[in-house]
Amino acid sequence: MNILSIQSAVAYGHVGNSAAVFPLQRLGHEVWPVYTVNYSNHTGYGSWKGPIISAEDVRAVIEGIGERGQFGEIDAIISGYQGGPDIAGVIVEAVEAVKKENPNALYSCDPVMGNEKSGCFVSEEIPPLLRDTVVPHADIITPNQFELGFLTGVEATDLDSTLAAVEAARAMGPNTVLVTSVLRPERKEGTIEMIVVDDKGRWIVETPMLPFKINGSGDVTSALFAGHYVSSRDGAAALAATASSVYDLLETTYQADSRELKLIDAQDYYAHPRLQFTVREI
């Protein structure tokens, strides 16, 4: 499968395309990365160097791929951190151009804007653009609970409200919704969950919650889910494989006491998920 990935990139560490590309390659996908920023490191350090890539330059890179006659060969498009607000239109243009050549291509949008603990950490212009311009063109979205609540206006807290927010999101256009980092109050202590809903059903998976937070884990989660889903079109199977791989990546990172994801050390877990967690139908 060929995947066009429009995301940020960093030289040091692993977020955006610098987190997504290698795991997808280990799944056997050909990945064509397009950068929205090219930073020295992720912004969690408080300082960084490097440019936001202009919309014109991002568009030019994508157009160049089209000029090679390759849009029809793209099986999926994924997008994440957008950098500037003008990137939204470029992403939509790319999705429309690819789907014109390959109507079976899937677009998976990670609507990166923030989380419950940190709040919104992107430009205030970006969340409305994601909600009103980008998400309606997506086949798959992979928000956390905070992002899901913003997109839909439905506060996602317990299971019922999260599922209600998912259905509100699906009414906006996407068929498949993966909700990451689900922290509902009725879950087992010391656990964290993910939920997937599509036309075939609703599923939930529970994993241990490791006592740390690390940048880039959501980017890997979104990429792996899209990679599995585009191959299988099976939400439950994609959820099981993604939960397994991401947990083992985080466990590897935690045991190493690393400030950055141990993306390379955990590589066999992407190619060969242990499938140690049970996916339950809701």
Side-chain angles (χ1 to χ4, degrees):
M1 297 284 184
N2 298 316
I3 297 177
L4 179 69
S5 181
I6 309 169
Q7 301 194 59
S8 62
V10 294
Y12 171 72
H14 300 292
V15 299
N17 268 328
S18 303
V21 171
F22 180 64
L24 287 169
Q25 290 172 330
R26 288 293 278 131
L27 286 184
H29 296 301
E30 186 72 46
V31 187
W32 305 345
V34 176
Y35 300 156
T36 57
V37 307
N38 191 13
Y39 289 161
S40 56
N41 52 271
H42 67 66
T43 59
Y45 286 99
S47 65
W48 62 94
K49 301 289 186 179
I52 294 176
I53 310 300
S54 72
E56 291 180 359
D57 287 339
V58 175
R59 181 180 287 111
V61 171
I62 296 169
E63 286 177 349
I65 296 171
E67 288 173 2
R68 305 285 74 75
Q70 294 302 304
F71 282 171
E73 303 302 314
I74 295 173
D75 300 289
I77 309 104
I78 62 177
S79 69
Y81 182 79
Q82 295 191 14
D86 50 358
I87 300 297
V90 178
I91 291 172
V92 170
E93 290 171 13
V95 170
E96 291 176 338
V98 168
K99 289 197 170 195
K100 182 178 179 180
E101 299 297 324
N102 179 13
N104 292 321
L106 295 179
Y107 167 42
S108 180
C109 170
D110 185 10
V112 177
M113 61 182 81
N115 56 59
E116 192 67 40
K117 184 176 180 181
S118 304
C120 188
F121 51 66
V122 299
S123 162
E124 64 182 14
E125 298 173 86
I126 288 177
L129 284 169
L130 284 167
R131 180 190 61 209
D132 302 332
T133 302
V134 182
V135 166
H137 286 83
D139 301 290
I140 303 166
I141 60 171
T142 59
N144 58 38
Q145 281 182 296
F146 173 84
E147 292 161 342
L148 180 65
F150 177 86
L151 290 173
T152 63
V154 178
E155 185 178 5
T157 53
D158 59 8
L159 181 60
D160 288 343
S161 61
T162 300
L163 291 174
V166 166
E167 290 307 322
R170 295 181 74 223
M172 296 167 64
N175 173 71
T176 303
V177 178
L178 167 69
V179 190
T180 65
S181 302
V182 176
L183 295 170
R184 58 192 181 100
E186 66 269 35
R187 74 188 191 283
K188 293 180 184 177
E189 185 177 354
T191 66
I192 191 168
E193 298 166 321
M194 291 194 288
I195 293 172
V196 166
V197 179
D198 65 12
D199 285 343
K200 297 177 183 177
R202 310 182 301 184
W203 299 274
I204 189 168
V205 65
E206 170 192 286
T207 69
M209 184 176 180
L210 295 167
F212 79 137
K213 176 73 172 68
I214 192 159
N215 296 78
S217 57
D219 302 324
V220 176
T221 301
S222 297
L224 285 174
F225 182 80
H228 285 294
Y229 197 91
V230 72
S231 296
S232 67
R233 308 291 172 123
D234 185 326
L239 178 61
T242 300
S244 173
S245 299
V246 171
Y247 177 78
D248 282 330
L249 166 62
L250 293 177
E251 173 70 14
T252 299
T253 303
Y254 179 68
Q255 292 300 329
D257 193 25
S258 174
R259 178 69 175 81
E260 294 288 344
L261 288 170
K262 301 299 286 185
L263 199 74
I264 307 304
D265 291 0
Q267 63 180 287
D268 287 345
Y269 295 125
Y270 321 139
H272 308 289
R274 293 193 293 142
L275 302 178
Q276 69 272 45
F277 304 114
T278 300
V279 171
R280 177 172 57 87
E281 189 166 12
I282 303 171

